[in-house]
Amino acid sequence: MLPAVRARLFSPHLASLPLSPSHSLKSRSVALSLRSPFSHSSRQNPNPHAPAAKPAVSDAVKFVRTVLFVPPGVEPEEVTDDMILPGSNIVLGPYVGDAKIKEVEFVKSSSRPKDCPKDQRPEFAMLGRSNVGKSSLINALVRKKEVALTSKKPGKTQLINHFLVNRSWYIVDLPGYGFANAPESARMDWSSFTKGYFLNRETLVSVLLLIDASVPPQKIDLDCANWLGRNNIPITFVFTKCDKMKGGKGKRPDENIRKFQELIRENYRQHPPWIMTSSTTGLGRDELLLHMSQLRNYWDN
Ligand code: GDP
């Protein structure tokens, strides 16, 4: 897909909707409670015999629409409550397709971006800090324990690992960054290793940037998100470990997510898609696959 087309995929209608500073606080709280502002009951027609009228749209609903990820094929004003994936800001549109994973096969490990598969299939790159829960999420998505273990084998952790799903698209496991306790020699030079991949990989539909929601925003994640944003790399924020409530101390996942979004806001003109997940409870798994299906199907068309 040409870069311009790719840009359109991830720069939908929201670009034109300004977010003033006075909106920002409000938007953050609305973004995290998307389902409450417009309940099903408020959209019901009180007189079932009356001709179907367009439901009234409150300011709150109009505002919530400005923080949503509205995919191609949907106009923001068409969005209704049941089009929004729970635990996310993602609207489902006409490109949603079969999201089931029927088979997955490890294809190859590449040490350089130019060694990656050249068959032009669309791909999603999974990226995150070491220990963010990337292997667990990949295993949960494909429902196989051994898949992400491949990339944990010694020697494969610094490689770009391609997994072919349903013989039609790839999940790409990228090296984790920021090994907190590793000696300097074992730390990955993420910048030189993967920057080329992000900047040149034509078949990259979206980076799934995994962020641990059980801890407050980390500088290294913010740096990574900001770099991707500045370089217009399509991104979906996947918050992991959303089941985890630190016993009394620390912040709750939704507070950490809100803070993270606040901190990356200035590098994104629109709200990137984001979704809450837990590999322990299965939260967000099916929803994330649906989101990926609509991005993929749009890319394919
Ligand atoms: P990776 O280094 O990013 O591949 O992370 P792993 O998948 O190996 O997970 C790191 C640690 O976080 C392990 O102890 C996992 O059991 C734990 N973990 C991963 N996902 C979740 C989750 O959704 N909830 C909770 N509570 N723990 C998780």
Side-chain angles (χ1 to χ4, degrees):
M1 178 175 275
L2 296 170
V5 182
R6 191 201 277 173
R8 150 126 173 72
L9 173 55
F10 298 96
S11 315
H13 322 277
L14 298 183
S16 58
L17 295 164
L19 278 174
S20 69
S22 62
H23 268 138
S24 47
L25 244 185
K26 193 176 163 197
S27 77
R28 288 192 292 274
S29 57
V30 173
L32 287 165
S33 55
L34 284 173
R35 300 190 73 81
S36 54
F38 45 131
S39 66
H40 285 280
S41 57
S42 67
R43 292 189 294 117
Q44 275 167 6
N45 187 340
N47 177 0
H49 304 296
K54 275 203 161 182
V57 179
S58 68
D59 285 348
V61 172
K62 284 183 192 152
F63 181 74
V64 166
R65 284 173 178 166
T66 71
V67 297
L68 295 174
F69 171 75
V70 182
V74 180
E75 295 300 325
E77 57 276 12
E78 291 170 359
V79 174
T80 53
D81 190 5
D82 45 13
M83 292 163 71
I84 304 169
L85 282 173
S88 84
N89 70 336
I90 299 168
V91 173
L92 292 182
Y95 288 97
V96 170
D98 186 7
K100 286 203 181 68
I101 293 189
K102 295 176 198 102
E103 62 171 291
V104 56
E105 105 188 69
F106 172 70
V107 174
K108 73 179 293 198
S109 295
S110 311
S111 58
R112 296 170 304 179
K114 65 178 182 181
D115 297 332
C116 291
K118 296 180 177 61
D119 53 14
Q120 296 298 308
R121 291 187 168 104
E123 64 191 42
F124 295 88
M126 314 271 289
L127 177 67
R129 203 156 36 85
S130 164
N131 231 32
V132 71
K134 182 156 57 74
S135 309
S136 305
L137 185 67
I138 294 175
N139 288 332
L141 287 178
V142 304
R143 294 225 157 104
K144 276 192 179 178
K145 275 249 177 296
E146 67 273 22
V147 166
L149 291 180
T150 312
S151 55
K152 288 220 153 182
K153 283 182 188 156
K156 299 229 170 179
T157 51
Q158 309 270 312
L159 299 170
I160 302 171
N161 297 296
H162 275 77
F163 299 95
L164 183 60
V165 180
N166 298 347
R167 301 186 187 194
S168 63
W169 56 279
Y170 289 111
I171 288 177
V172 184
D173 187 6
L174 293 177
Y177 55 80
F179 292 83
N181 301 317
E184 196 63 42
S185 59
R187 285 188 197 202
M188 202 194 62
D189 183 1
W190 178 75
S191 25
S192 66
F193 186 74
T194 28
K195 271 184 183 168
Y197 169 86
F198 293 125
L199 296 173
N200 301 313
R201 188 72 175 157
E202 288 276 303
T203 50
L204 179 61
V205 178
S206 180
V207 172
L208 305 185
L209 181 60
L210 274 55
I211 305 293
D212 186 342
S214 70
V215 295
Q218 308 287 302
K219 183 178 182 309
I220 194 159
D221 293 331
L222 295 165
D223 288 348
C224 182
N226 288 333
W227 185 86
L228 292 165
R230 276 197 306 276
N231 286 283
N232 294 318
I233 312 292
I235 191 169
T236 298
F237 291 110
V238 178
F239 293 101
T240 62
K241 308 189 190 181
C242 291
D243 59 283
K244 223 168 156 181
M245 308 292 263
K246 287 269 161 71
K249 305 187 279 189
K251 300 260 194 284
R252 293 176 20 191
D254 55 350
E255 290 172 43
N256 295 330
I257 292 171
R258 187 159 57 229
K259 186 77 186 152
F260 184 87
Q261 291 179 332
E262 185 183 319
L263 291 169
I264 54 115
R265 176 175 300 278
E266 57 219 52
N267 282 292
Y268 288 87
R269 279 173 54 245
Q270 313 93 41
H271 287 260
W274 59 263
I275 184 163
M276 297 169 82
T277 68
S278 161
S279 303
T280 306
T281 65
L283 174 81
R285 175 198 180 265
D286 295 345
E287 289 78 6
L288 179 56
L289 287 174
L290 280 172
H291 170 59
M292 291 160 83
S293 89
Q294 69 175 353
L295 298 186
R296 209 170 54 236
N297 288 333
Y298 180 74
W299 191 93
D300 274 339
N301 274 286

